[in-house]
């Protein structure tokens, strides 16, 4: 079974959406719009990240401009999205190499661990990135 | 005898018209250790990823005499250049046990063997900790333990000593020499390569500049300079 690449990148988001549904079911009432919106927003961000010429935009809006803060904010958002995607891709690859037998022993548990690790690592990287920006005098 | 690994005329670029590998051929026989040295950006990591079938290279690649598939990975141990990319289980003991479990061992057998591999890498005391709490060099050693634990037929190691202190690098060289596992090792660490591999290939600008017995290649200073490793 070949899963398309874009779908695979959305996997953690799907897991997160499923997690939301489970939480709601636990609470007794399921609002189906919540997971649907989560997935829609993630997909839209994915498309935006791919299609918008971000670097050119940021260069056009110089530090003097009113839009600079907004542009910088979007740039960082894009940066984090790319981190999330890259981390997801890498962890899933490592999981495939470590557990090459699909459905074999430990496969499912390792997939769950791998997805959980994505979130932990993205947090660590976000912190590191923030520290680096502080050192450069950009963060507030 | 069919070689364990044989690649012919590999060509690959991340972008069209910008080849990173230009017609690379390598061959590795059972029990043989081959080093690949080259400067930053020479294409060492790219070559390993192509050999694993993770990047779509032109040319032919045969692993264990067959085309590369997910099945071939069951017989290979891999250590990435960045060890953080590879450890994701709740503890490094789980990381080292996973390949054993997935290859069909029962947990009662897998965990002691994983523990043994961690011990060999000097990580017995850290076994229950997650990789995120370890130093970079310790993570690399944990990734090595996870790759070595299932005693694969072939090891692909990307800069295995880059983060290691000298005693650890020396122990790794001894360990690899004491096994008969075939290895393909990329590294800038000429000292380590000199102790570990039988043959050394020099990679520069996507081509193999030279490939031969390690002592011979290492004694040619001009060649090493041309390859950007000296
Ligand atoms: N994902 C990528 N997209 C585009 N180009 C890439 C990518 N990864 C690597 N490259 C380019 O491919 C070339 C070879 O990179 P590679 O990582 O294989 O080098 P290396 O020999 O492993 O270097 P190092 O010693 O730094 O590990 C470099 O010029 C690099 O810029
Ligand atoms: Mg590399």
């Amino acid at each position: 079974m070949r899963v398309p690449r874009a779908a695979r990148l959305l996997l953690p988001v799907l897991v997160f959406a499923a997690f939301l549904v489970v939480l709601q079911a636990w609470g007794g009432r399921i609002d189906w719009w919540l997971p649907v919106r989560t997935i829609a927003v993630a997909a839209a961000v994915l498309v935006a990240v791919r299609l918008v010429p971000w670097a050119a935009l940021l260069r056009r809006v110089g530090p003097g401009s009113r839009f600079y803060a907004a542009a910088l904010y979007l740039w960082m958002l894009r940066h984090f999205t790319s981190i999330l995607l890259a981390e997801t891709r890498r962890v899933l690859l490592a999981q495939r190499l470590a557990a090459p037998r699909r459905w074999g022993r430990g496969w499912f548990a390792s997939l769950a661990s791998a997805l959980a690790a994505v979130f932990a690592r993205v947090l660590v990287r976000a912190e590191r990135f923030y520290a680096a920006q502080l050192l450069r005098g950009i963060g507030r | 005898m069919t070689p364990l690994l044989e690649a012919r005329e590999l060509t690959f670029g991340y972008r069209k018209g910008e080849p990173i590998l230009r017609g690379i051929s390598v061959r590795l026989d059972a029990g043989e250790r081959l080093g690949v040295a080259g400067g930053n950006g020479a294409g060492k990591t790219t070559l390993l990823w192509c050999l694993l079938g993770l990047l779509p290279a032109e040319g032919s690649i045969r692993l264990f005499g067959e085309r590369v598939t997910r099945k071939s990975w069951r017989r290979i141990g891999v250590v990435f250049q960045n060890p953080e990319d590879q450890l994701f289980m709740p503890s490094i003991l789980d990381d080292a046990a996973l390949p054993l479990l997935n290859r069909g061992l029962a947990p009662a057998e897998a965990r002691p063997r994983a523990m043994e591999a961690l011990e060999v890498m000097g990580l017995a005391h850290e076994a229950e900790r997650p990789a995120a709490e370890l130093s970079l060099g310790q993570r690399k050693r944990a990734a090595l333990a996870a790759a070595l634990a299932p005693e694969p037929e072939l090891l692909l190691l990307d800069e295995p000593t880059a983060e290691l202190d000298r005693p650890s690098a020396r122990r790794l060289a001894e360990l690899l020499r004491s096994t008969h596992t075939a290895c393909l090792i990329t590294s800038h660490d000429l000292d380590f390569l000199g102790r570990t591999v039988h043959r050394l290939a020099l990679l520069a600008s996507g081509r193999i500049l030279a490939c031969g017995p390690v002592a011979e290649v290492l004694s040619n200073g001009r060649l090493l300079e041309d390859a950007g490793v000296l």
Side-chain angles (χ1 to χ4, degrees):
Chain A
M1 179 184 70
R2 293 283 306 161
V3 188
R5 231 166 59 106
R8 217 181 294 165
L9 294 178
L10 273 176
L11 196 61
V13 177
L14 294 180
V15 171
F16 182 65
F19 177 65
L20 286 179
V21 173
V22 171
L23 273 190
Q24 289 185 76
W26 199 20
R29 208 180 62 92
I30 300 182
D31 173 9
W32 287 103
W33 273 113
L34 195 62
V36 168
R37 255 180 313 183
T38 308
I39 294 167
V41 168
V45 169
L46 199 87
V47 169
V49 164
R50 282 283 150 92
L51 295 187
V52 176
W54 295 96
L57 269 181
L58 191 65
R59 251 176 257 128
R60 189 101 57 79
V61 189
S65 159
R66 276 185 297 147
F67 300 112
Y68 188 64
L72 208 57
Y73 177 76
L74 281 178
W75 177 258
M76 289 190 185
L77 206 63
R78 192 206 84 115
H79 184 74
F80 284 127
T81 315
S82 64
I83 286 181
L84 180 66
L85 293 182
E87 294 285 341
T88 308
R89 205 177 294 158
R90 271 197 225 120
V91 169
L92 288 180
L93 175 62
Q95 188 266 344
R96 271 196 293 157
L97 279 171
R101 267 174 221 264
R102 209 180 298 211
W103 311 117
R105 193 181 273 139
W107 180 81
F108 191 74
S110 67
L111 185 62
S113 279
L115 290 173
V118 171
F119 291 107
R121 291 190 44 192
V122 166
L123 274 183
V124 170
R125 292 210 34 190
E127 270 171 26
R128 225 186 282 160
F129 176 74
Y130 184 62
Q133 300 321 310
L134 275 182
L135 289 174
R136 283 162 62 185
I138 293 181
R140 272 158 296 171
Chain B
M1 194 175 67
T2 40
L4 277 193
L5 167 71
E6 188 170 37
R8 287 211 193 121
E9 292 295 315
L10 285 193
T11 299
F12 173 80
Y14 292 95
R15 287 193 204 88
K16 266 218 160 72
E18 292 175 33
I20 302 289
L21 306 177
R22 308 157 188 251
I24 297 227
S25 300
V26 283
R27 177 198 163 111
L28 191 68
D29 287 314
E32 194 185 20
R33 293 184 295 276
L34 170 69
V36 178
N40 293 138
K44 303 181 292 296
T45 299
T46 305
L47 175 61
L48 281 195
W49 284 49
C50 288
L51 293 176
L52 281 167
L54 297 172
L55 293 172
E58 276 171 47
S60 85
I61 304 172
R62 294 254 155 197
L63 264 177
F64 310 112
E66 293 165 11
R67 283 188 44 217
V68 189
T69 60
R70 206 181 159 110
K71 236 185 184 162
S72 355
W73 292 350
R74 294 179 194 174
R75 303 163 69 178
I76 303 178
V78 185
V79 172
F80 288 163
Q81 184 162 10
N82 183 352
E84 301 190 16
D85 288 343
Q86 251 179 318
L87 306 163
F88 51 82
M89 295 294 280
S91 73
I92 55 171
L93 181 59
D94 293 314
D95 275 307
L98 172 61
L100 293 164
L101 288 172
N102 191 250
R103 282 162 180 77
L105 251 66
E109 265 181 283
R111 287 178 76 85
R113 261 181 72 180
M115 194 63 198
E116 221 172 281
L118 289 174
E119 254 165 40
V120 169
M121 285 291 139
L123 285 172
H125 294 299
E126 325 288 348
E128 299 294 340
R129 293 171 70 187
E133 290 179 12
L134 302 182
S135 79
L136 191 58
Q138 287 172 329
R139 283 177 215 177
K140 192 71 157 225
R141 284 195 264 149
L144 281 161
L148 290 166
E151 294 175 6
E153 291 163 67
L154 171 63
L155 276 170
L156 299 179
L157 309 178
D158 199 356
E159 309 268 1
T161 63
E163 298 83 2
L164 301 193
D165 51 33
R166 289 195 140 240
S168 305
R170 220 177 307 127
R171 274 201 303 275
L172 178 63
E174 276 161 28
L175 181 68
L176 293 176
R177 268 205 318 263
S178 72
T179 68
H180 288 284
T181 309
C183 303
L184 199 155
I185 306 173
T186 77
S187 181
H188 313 110
D189 187 344
L190 298 183
D191 190 42
F192 171 76
L193 288 171
R195 289 166 195 271
T196 314
V197 301
H198 301 114
R199 281 190 303 134
L200 180 62
L202 296 178
L203 189 64
S205 319
R207 288 208 171 79
I208 300 218
L209 278 191
C211 182
V214 66
E216 206 173 281
V217 176
L218 285 179
S219 66
N220 191 337
R222 253 311 280 292
L223 209 53
L224 295 175
E225 267 177 46
D226 287 346
V229 289
L230 197 67

